[in-house]
Amino acid sequence: MNHLVILPILIPLLGAALSLFVEHRRYGPRVQRAVAWTSLSALALAVGLLFAGTAGGDINVYLLGDWPSRLGIALVADRLSAWMLLTTLLLAIPCLLHACSGWDRRAPHFHALFQFQLVGLNGAFLTGDIFNLFVFFEVMLIASYGLLLSGGRGLRMRIGLHYVVFNVTASTLFLIALGLLYASLGSLNMAELSQRIAEVPPAQLTLVKATMGLLLLVFCAKAALMPLYLWLPEAYSRAPAAVAALFAIMTKVGLYSVLRIQMLWFGDDAGAMAGYGRDWLLWAGVATLVLGGLGALAATRLRVLISYLVIVSAATLFIAFSVGTPQVLSAGLYYLPHSSFVAAALFLIADLIRRRRGGASDRKEVVAPMPGKETPAVLFLIGAVSVAGLPPLSGFLAKAALLAGMPAQYTGPVWTAVLVSSLLVIMGLTRGGIRLFWRVPPVDPEAPVPRKARLRRVELYAACILLAYGIGMTLAAAPLMRYTDATAAQLLDPSEYVQQLRATPPEIRQP
């Protein structure tokens, strides 16, 4: 059990290597899919055990290369890490299911890149070292470049290259910030840095603040906070459906990083750095929330509208994490998987709609018949109710808990931004639904459905699974919110995290 913490990284890494091995023609797609599902099943077992092991509040530390000079890779699993790992796993299952309906045959090395993407995501959630956070960021991003560009041409290639350039620039700034951080504080271990930041001498305070500001800028760029969100709508809307659905968790990695360093480095015991950047992030989140709602209202294509919903969810989480009170933080943690699942479901539903409309694709301004529109319409309605925060689904519960716990000084602007953005989202989704499903020419019932437009059961199951997650979160809201309450309490008191990571008990030391 001491090696359990590394398994969420090791299993998909081995799965990626094996996927590359079986890509030879003689094996065929069935063998590749069997390898992918075997790896994901083993990952599910490891994540389930890790989640159960941390649910009681235990913090598990795993050290690789624990040399006497305290150099090495530290992996830490607590309630927040386990929550993010479980969210990623649950999202990966229907994404892989959808891809296995046939799209994976058109994308070279899809299964290997998919597994490498999980390596980067899981590693980012588990690392206890800021430099290795950069490493796992790069693993995740390099895999995403391949997934986004695989099988693409024309406009998707051009937008994909914009996505690559933006993220390479952000990664360069990340590396510069790490160099400044190590030069000024002499460590990159997150727990060690929490102690050194609290004791930073006044002569170095300006440099440390500038370095932290650069780090926050990078994380905000990854999470698509205004004005650094312009790369996201087109990139996500042009990605293949299964890839766009998996990308719904990628903005949450930047949010997770902001939350982790805020609680570890900028808490009440951080001295001059206490609360650093929180007010700026809060007001930027409020502005992004309103702007994302306007983007959803103005979007002319359904997939662009859904991409703006990803921005709206990220802005809501920035507000929750910046306020940082126990109830608001807990509501944000409950909202995080909900927003990931429903955005992913809508990307898959949009793909079904796009194919059934033929040349009209997902453009809302084009009136076109849609054969067999009943099933996509019902799925779209459930997803729209969930993502807009209407009762009785989990989106409503999360936003209600967030607004109910809002401190008095933020009540006016936050309530206004959340309610106005929700209204704009409802209007955008309603307009989209009317133009796609209602005001359309009738379809000849005798005309055969084009082969490209036929619903594959596997694709339908994938979208239904994601929507079922939201319904399950609604039915199990009480135990899930108790878990997020406990997670918020653990985050607000990081002393045990720091102590566990610095203590290095002998039984978990690795040679």
Side-chain angles (χ1 to χ4, degrees):
M1 297 299 290
N2 291 337
H3 300 278
L4 185 60
V5 179
I6 199 174
L7 290 183
I9 300 171
L10 188 60
I11 290 171
L13 185 62
L14 295 176
L18 191 55
S19 296
L20 289 172
F21 180 77
V22 300
E23 279 184 358
H24 196 275
R25 290 182 181 178
R26 70 168 181 256
Y27 291 105
R30 290 187 178 180
V31 177
Q32 296 179 40
R33 292 169 185 172
V35 170
W37 283 109
T38 301
S39 175
L40 202 59
S41 300
L43 179 61
L45 178 61
V47 170
L49 292 173
L50 197 58
F51 186 85
T54 58
D58 294 338
I59 297 176
N60 301 323
V61 180
Y62 189 91
L63 302 177
L64 294 91
D66 184 26
W67 296 296
S69 58
R70 296 193 58 75
L71 295 174
I73 300 173
L75 302 178
V76 188
D78 60 354
R79 286 192 179 106
L80 177 60
S81 300
W83 185 247
M84 300 302 296
L85 290 174
L86 184 62
T87 301
T88 304
L89 171 70
L90 293 176
L91 184 62
I93 292 171
C95 291
L96 182 59
L97 185 64
H98 186 278
C100 288
S101 65
W103 183 83
D104 58 340
R105 296 183 181 183
R106 302 194 296 272
H109 316 303
F110 168 79
H111 290 288
L113 291 170
F114 187 90
Q115 296 293 328
F116 277 123
Q117 182 88 349
L118 295 181
V119 172
L121 290 167
N122 294 345
F125 297 140
L126 286 171
T127 185
D129 184 280
I130 192 70
F131 178 78
N132 289 299
L133 178 63
F134 166 78
V135 172
F136 286 118
F137 257 113
E138 291 310 295
V139 172
M140 174 186 70
L141 288 172
I142 291 171
S144 74
Y145 302 155
L147 290 172
L148 179 60
L149 298 173
S150 287
R153 59 183 182 273
L155 186 58
R156 175 142 71 93
M157 290 295 291
R158 180 164 63 85
I159 291 171
L161 290 175
H162 291 169
Y163 170 81
V164 172
V165 170
F166 178 88
N167 280 284
V168 167
T169 304
S171 297
T172 303
L173 293 177
F174 196 174
L175 194 57
I176 292 171
L178 292 178
L180 292 172
L181 190 63
Y182 188 78
S184 57
L185 296 177
S187 178
L188 294 174
N189 181 282
M190 291 184 183
E192 191 69 31
L193 284 170
S194 69
Q195 301 296 308
R196 300 191 183 192
I197 288 172
E199 301 167 358
V200 63
Q204 292 186 344
L205 187 59
T206 301
L207 177 60
V208 172
K209 283 187 175 182
T211 302
M212 295 304 173
L214 189 57
L215 270 180
L216 288 175
L217 178 68
V218 171
F219 295 148
C220 292
K222 305 289 188 182
L225 187 68
M226 191 189 79
L228 304 171
Y229 73 94
L230 296 176
W231 60 271
L232 189 147
E234 284 296 328
Y236 279 35
S237 66
R238 298 292 176 180
V243 174
L246 184 62
F247 281 8
I249 193 67
M250 285 183 59
T251 54
K252 308 305 188 293
V253 181
L255 282 156
Y256 166 86
S257 303
V258 170
L259 177 61
R260 182 66 82 184
I261 68 171
Q262 273 192 342
M263 295 303 162
L264 279 177
W265 298 352
F266 309 143
D268 296 335
D269 299 329
M273 296 294 294
Y276 179 75
R278 284 193 179 183
D279 289 340
W280 181 85
L281 291 175
L282 173 64
W283 297 117
V286 169
T288 307
L289 187 58
V290 176
L291 197 62
L294 289 172
L297 180 63
T300 58
R301 294 190 295 119
L302 180 59
R303 286 178 292 177
V304 172
L305 187 156
I306 300 167
S307 299
Y308 274 104
L309 297 181
V310 174
I311 296 174
V312 167
S313 68
T316 304
L317 289 169
F318 266 113
I319 293 172
F321 295 166
S322 299
V323 171
T325 59
Q327 184 174 345
V328 174
L329 185 55
S330 173
L333 292 173
Y334 177 79
Y335 179 80
L336 189 152
H338 149 80
S339 60
S340 301
F341 297 149
V342 69
L346 286 172
F347 276 122
L348 299 188
I349 295 166
D351 185 63
L352 301 177
I353 294 170
R354 176 187 62 84
R355 295 208 320 271
R356 296 180 79 81
R357 296 183 82 227
S361 188
D362 63 338
R363 296 192 298 275
K364 297 192 298 180
E365 74 277 8
V366 178
V367 177
M370 185 190 301
K373 65 181 181 181
E374 292 79 10
T375 300
V378 171
L379 296 178
F380 179 80
L381 176 62
I382 297 172
V385 169
S386 183
V387 77
L390 295 175
L393 296 180
S394 52
F396 170 76
L397 299 178
K399 288 187 177 181
L402 187 150
L403 295 177
M406 193 61 56
Q409 66 267 32
Y410 302 127
T411 298
V414 171
W415 274 65
T416 301
V418 171
L419 295 178
V420 168
S421 66
S422 297
L423 177 61
L424 293 173
V425 167
I426 292 171
M427 292 170 61
L429 290 168
T430 302
R431 289 177 61 189
I434 290 173
R435 293 181 178 184
L436 293 171
F437 302 112
W438 194 353
R439 295 179 180 175
V440 295
V443 179
D444 183 2
E446 302 297 329
V449 178
R451 183 177 179 181
K452 185 179 179 181
R454 293 174 186 170
L455 284 176
R456 298 186 181 94
R457 288 187 178 181
V458 171
E459 296 173 325
L460 193 61
Y461 293 159
C464 290
I465 289 171
L466 287 165
L467 293 177
Y469 288 160
I471 297 173
M473 289 187 68
T474 305
L475 298 176
L480 290 177
M481 285 191 174
R482 283 196 296 269
Y483 183 90
T484 58
D485 287 343
T487 305
Q490 190 176 58
L491 285 170
L492 291 168
D493 183 17
S495 57
E496 186 179 356
Y497 183 100
V498 173
Q499 181 181 359
Q500 288 290 333
L501 190 50
R502 299 183 79 200
T504 62
E507 62 270 15
I508 61 173
R509 289 181 180 269
Q510 303 304 315

